[in-house]
Every structure is written in structure tokens, then in C-alpha cells.
Amino acid sequence: MPDTINMKRVFSGIQPSGDLHLGNYVGALKGWVNQQNNRDNFFCIVDLHALTVKQNPDELRDRTLQTAALYIACGIDPIKSCVFIQSHVSVHAEVCWLLNCITPLGWLERMTQYKDKSLRTDSILAGLLDYPVLMAADIIIYDAHEVPVGEDQKQHVELARDIAQRFNRIYGETFVVPEPVISKTGARVMGLNDATIKMSKEHSKIRGHAVRLLDDPKEIERSFKRAVTDSYNEIRFSDDTERAGVNNLLGIYKVITGKTESQVEKDFENLKGYGSLKTIVAEVVIEELRPIQEKYARIMNDSGELHRILLDGGEKAAEISESKLSEVKYKMGLLNL
Ligand code: AMP
Ligand code: TRP
């Protein structure tokens, strides 16, 4: 185990609510992997959050394990990072309740993700509204300094800051106030079929919307071939919404290759037509995902090893968070005999 005493602590998570896609990879996982050597990392599979929308129980269990395998296949090293399943550490749900009792309802009703999601359903569950409080609990019970997430989660991390600050004001200094860390590149990968909406698990069953991390090369090629573009026939970055499709393709190429915008535009300088752009972007994505898919297959072949990693991770996470829980309960006036 690395010496983590002087390192900043990182906490992040992904819901096992659907197939992981390129947005999850570049917006979250890739950044986690790049940082993991000089941080004290906690990477969680947030299955309790997945319950805020209807799930098939057997599928949820399968996807929870698959998500964990993908973390490791993408390069999360269980020696350097604590990998665990949220529902294995009951402190998360318990602290969520305690934080509910200091969180004004208005703060939750203002969350844009809640407003969007509740507009699209006619039976709004209490869990959907409360989702950011559970997320705040996830983060602050570990005293995490940094939370690397995609742009869409920034507002939730800011709420976690507000809740930590409010608790500290009422009960005295208790929690570290966390910072969102949004990668400049890849903060928002858009749908290939519609570049005005973000690539999401929710839409990943729609043909041509997402590149799923486990899609085979042929499927990835097909998705890119079908990607929306425009009629400008000009391969350069742009903020113009009409050109969002091409911009998204260039953004994906940029984040995978690690090149700058001008290097990317140079690469495509003499290229004629969007067809070749799509082929080249598909190729870099296929090559990036190939070793991940191979490693994933090896991990799933030996699930005993994966179970051991998750059990060890859960144990370590429980130990750390339980001592924080005792402090919080005491400060809030709960009797300890
Ligand atoms: P979710 O799929 O909502 O569980 O998100 C897991 C992580 O992936 C979070 O850090 C999100 O911000 C990030 N993420 C999800 N979709 C995208 C996207 N289209 N582009 C960039 N990051 C994303
Ligand atoms: N809400 C996040 C998402 O949908 C997932 C999540 C839950 C999370 N708890 C977290 C992310 C704590 C970072 C830190 O993407």
C-alpha cells in the first residue's frame, strides 16, 4: 500500500444503472486513473444511487460487478485505490439521514438534474430528490478534498460543499469541504446521434447514441459512421450549435489522443469529407478500448479475485467512515452507551 498520509483524498463514483460509455470514460474514469498515483483514492460503485430509478434486481447485481470490473480494466489499481460498493458500507445511508436533517428542501428542489428528471416522469420518488444528499454523504464521510466528475455533476458537488459548511457552522469543524475537479477536456461528451444532449446511460440503448466501453469494434465503427455532422464540410472546432456534431467528434479525438486543439485541426487539415473524419475517430477509440476490453474479459473470467478486491475495499471504507459516523452522531446529540 502506498503512503497516503500527506496525499489529498479523492472520492468519486459511477452508478451501475446502465452500460458505461465513452462519456463516463473521458469525463470520469480516465481522469481518476491519471491522478491515482499521487492521491489517496476512494472509487465507489454507487448502487444505492442507481435505485432512484426503477431497476431489474438481477440486472442491477450483474451490472454492479461489471462496473467494478470496468474500473479495474480501465486502469484503477486496487493497490493504490480503494474500490468498493456503496451498499456494502451502511454508513453512507445512515449519514444521508443525518444530513437530511440539516438540509433545506429548497436546496434540493433547485438541483437542475432533479428538475430535468422529474419533468420526464409522472411518479417522482423521494429518493430522486434526496439523491444529492446521499452523494454529499458519500463524499464528506471520507473527508475527501477532491471529487473528479463530469460537468453535469458539478452542481451536486457544490451542494455537498454547502452541506459540509452548514454542518461545520452548526456543530463545529467536522468535515473537509470538498472541491469539484472537472477535467478540461472530456468534461462533456455529447450523443453521436444528437450532439445537443450529453451521452448518457439512460439513452445508451438508442441505436447510434453512445459508444459503450464494451461495444465490439464493428459496432463502434457503425456508431461513428451514423454520427450527425453538418453541411459546412469544414473540420475545425467551433461553438456553433449547428456544428455541435463535428465539434463532438473532434473533442473525442482530442481527449483520447491528448493533443491540443491546434494539433488536432492540423491532423485533419488535408482531409476531405466527414466520412474520413469519422473513420479516424472510430479507429482511435477502438484502439483505446481494445486493451480495456481484453483486461475486462480476463477479470470477469476470475470473479473470485474481483470479489476479494471489493470485500477488502468495503472493509477499508467501513473502517474509515465508521469513525467519522461516531463523531457526527455524538455532535448531533445522539446517545452513545
Ligand atoms: P453517471 O453515468 O451519471 O453515473 O456518471 C458517472 C460519471 O461520468 C460522472 O462523473 C459524470 O459526470 C460522468 N459523465 C457521465 N456522462 C458524461 C458525458 N456525456 N460526458 C462527460 N462525463 C460524463
Ligand atoms: N451522482 C453521480 C453521477 O450520477 C454519481 C455519484 C454518487 C458520485 N456519489 C458520488 C460522484 C460521489 C462523485 C462523488 O454521476
Side-chain angles (χ1 to χ4, degrees):
M1 273 283 166
D3 178 12
T4 53
I5 301 270
N6 295 315
M7 289 181 181
K8 280 196 173 166
R9 185 168 285 168
V10 167
F11 186 98
S12 199
I14 298 181
Q15 301 181 56
S17 53
D19 298 321
L20 263 59
H21 51 73
L22 206 55
N24 298 131
Y25 179 65
V26 300
L29 277 162
K30 198 171 159 71
W32 302 356
V33 171
N34 289 342
Q35 289 282 0
Q36 86 181 317
N37 285 343
N38 40 29
R39 296 284 190 279
D40 179 17
N41 312 287
F42 288 77
F43 296 125
C44 186
I45 295 95
V46 287
D47 55 349
L48 296 175
H49 276 102
L51 293 178
T52 56
V53 295
K54 194 162 178 268
Q55 300 289 339
N56 171 307
D58 288 329
E59 279 178 20
L60 179 60
R61 269 184 285 273
D62 287 346
R63 275 201 312 265
T64 298
L65 209 58
Q66 289 159 4
T67 305
L70 267 172
Y71 279 17
I72 293 162
C74 284
I76 299 297
D77 178 350
I79 305 275
K80 297 174 187 156
S81 300
C82 176
V83 178
F84 70 103
I85 293 169
Q86 187 185 31
S87 65
H88 290 186
V89 182
S90 54
V91 176
H92 292 239
E94 198 170 348
V95 171
C96 176
W97 174 257
L98 300 174
L99 297 180
N100 273 335
C101 297
I102 64 149
T103 304
L105 189 58
W107 287 9
L108 304 182
E109 287 167 336
R110 270 206 307 273
M111 292 293 109
T112 51
Q113 194 175 78
Y114 168 71
K115 286 196 280 189
D116 287 352
K117 285 196 178 170
S118 56
L119 277 179
R120 283 185 274 131
T121 155
D122 31 40
S123 80
I124 304 166
L125 302 174
L128 190 65
L129 178 70
D130 204 31
Y131 169 121
V133 182
L134 178 59
M135 179 162 163
D138 294 344
I139 298 167
I140 68 180
I141 48 175
Y142 295 96
D143 278 328
H145 303 94
E146 294 180 352
V147 186
V149 282
E151 183 71 42
D152 61 320
Q153 292 300 320
K154 190 167 173 216
Q155 195 186 32
H156 289 156
V157 182
E158 277 160 1
L159 186 87
R161 287 176 63 82
D162 292 341
I163 293 176
Q165 278 165 337
R166 189 179 173 96
F167 191 100
N168 290 349
R169 237 187 349 265
I170 303 173
Y171 296 109
E173 224 28 64
T174 309
F175 294 117
V176 166
V177 179
E179 297 276 352
V181 177
I182 316 288
S183 78
K184 283 186 196 63
T185 47
R188 211 176 172 81
V189 176
M190 309 309 280
L192 295 186
N193 63 334
D194 177 355
T196 62
I197 58 166
K198 70 161 191 160
M199 188 177 282
S200 74
K201 296 197 203 101
E202 204 186 334
H203 298 118
S204 73
K205 292 262 181 308
I206 299 173
R207 208 162 150 247
H209 169 76
V211 173
R212 289 166 298 205
L213 301 186
L214 297 175
D215 279 348
D216 66 48
K218 282 268 164 291
E219 179 72 31
I220 297 176
E221 218 176 280
R222 271 199 297 274
S223 300
F224 276 105
K225 278 214 174 102
R226 279 198 290 263
V228 288
T229 49
D230 54 55
S231 53
Y232 291 90
N233 212 12
E234 197 181 12
I235 305 178
R236 63 173 178 81
F237 287 96
S238 146
D239 293 333
D240 188 343
T241 46
E242 279 183 44
R243 297 190 185 195
V246 171
N247 202 54
N248 191 35
L249 294 176
L250 290 174
I252 292 171
Y253 179 86
K254 176 175 177 242
V255 66
I256 300 284
T257 59
K259 295 184 177 180
T260 64
E261 285 201 2
S262 58
Q263 282 170 329
V264 171
E265 288 180 348
K266 219 164 171 351
D267 281 1
F268 293 111
E269 215 168 36
N270 298 316
L271 202 72
K272 287 276 162 290
Y274 291 151
S276 335
L277 167 69
K278 291 175 175 181
T279 309
I280 294 172
V281 180
E283 264 167 27
V284 296
V285 170
I286 289 168
E287 288 317 312
E288 177 87 2
L289 297 185
R290 192 187 303 281
I292 293 174
Q293 296 182 350
E294 286 167 3
K295 189 161 177 196
Y296 174 83
R298 284 200 300 276
I299 296 166
M300 290 306 273
N301 236 336
D302 178 10
S303 56
E305 169 70 4
L306 181 60
H307 290 191
R308 194 192 52 73
I309 291 169
L310 293 171
L311 289 171
D312 286 355
E315 230 171 76
K316 177 178 170 193
E319 201 179 300
I320 294 175
S321 58
E322 273 162 15
S323 89
K324 197 74 184 180
L325 173 66
S326 310
E327 182 188 348
V328 170
K329 283 166 89 173
Y330 184 78
K331 284 185 170 162
M332 292 182 89
L334 301 178
L335 181 64
N336 181 10
L337 292 180

